Every structure is written in C-alpha cells, then in structure tokens.
Amino acid sequence: MTFAKGLGNGLAIGGVVARAELMDCLTANSISTFGGNPMSTAGANATLKYLLDNDLQDNAAKLGDRIIGGLRDVADGHAMVGDVRGKGLMIGVELVAPGDEPSPAAAARVAEAAKERGLLVGKGGLYGNVLRLAPPMTLTEDEAEEALGILTESIAVVDEELTR
C-alpha cells in the first residue's frame, strides 16, 4: 500500500507498507525523492498522532454515512442523480441526463450552484459528470449538515433549471 499527501498535512512525504518479504527485496537506502526528511517525518508523526488521538477514522465513517445517506435521499427525488457512492468522506455523486446518459453540464452547473452558496466541490469521472466530495477528516457534524443542505438545494435548483 502506498500513501502520501494527507500523511504530512501539507509537508512532502509518502509511505509504503508491504509484507516483509516484499520490502526486504529492496536494496536501496531510499525509494523516495523525499526519503529521510526529518521535518516531514516529524509532521507525519504528529498527523498520525492527532488522527489516532481524535479517532478521525470513526468520525469519517460516521459523517460519511450521514452525507451519503442524505444524498441518497436527495437522489430519490431527483432523476438527474444517477448514483451516490463512496467510503467514509470520499464521496461521488454521478449526475445524468434523461436515459441515464452522463451529464457533465449538470455536474458543472451543480458545482457552480454549490460554490455560489459557499461550498466547493470537485468534478471528475470518465465523463466529467461526477461531483467529488472529499472534506477533511476533521469535519464536524455541523459542517456536514451545512454541506448536505447546500448540495440538496443546489441539486434541486439545477434539476428544476434543466427540466423546464
């Protein structure tokens, strides 16, 4: 397993975890451009300590379930939401046109409507029709509810615009 970015909380670091027999076959002193950086390593250690001390994994699971469930409720009333999927706080909302064709235009419009209301979401997917949500693991319940409200309103407004 490889990982990076969030581990250093902004500092350049990455990591590799594997079975001993696999890791022992590597004979180099380092397998990374940034290998051995004491500042990044201290930052990563502090990040991991904070994550564990504050049970951020449970927070991500709990709030992710709340957001995914809320978005699935929204999907029940809006045909333009083709799918809501995710794990923890990494969530995708697929937007489609009639006939379940990917709708990058709907994704762009919902992202813009959310931005106008104070929430930034990304877009991705093979066709550019998936809203990407990836809030920090430190997300609070109030922030999750606010984001869910903004997305609910944004989807409803755009769905009405597109079905007029």
Side-chain angles (χ1 to χ4, degrees), residues 34-70:
F34 300 108
N37 180 325
M39 175 81 78
S40 292
T41 303
N45 190 46
T47 298
L48 286 173
K49 181 173 176 8
Y50 187 87
L51 182 142
L52 295 171
D53 289 350
N54 293 280
D55 201 8
L56 295 185
Q57 290 171 296
D58 184 61
N59 186 60
K62 181 178 80 173
L63 295 180
D65 286 348
R66 170 65 186 115
I67 294 170
I68 290 170

Side-chain angles (χ1 to χ4, degrees), residues 14 83 85 129 146:
D83 188 29
R85 56 186 175 263
N129 68 313
E146 181 180 3

Side-chain angles (χ1 to χ4, degrees), residues 10 17 34-35 52 60 77 81 90 117 125 153:
V17 176
F34 300 108
L52 295 171
V81 180
M90 295 185 71
R117 290 162 175 78
E153 183 181 347

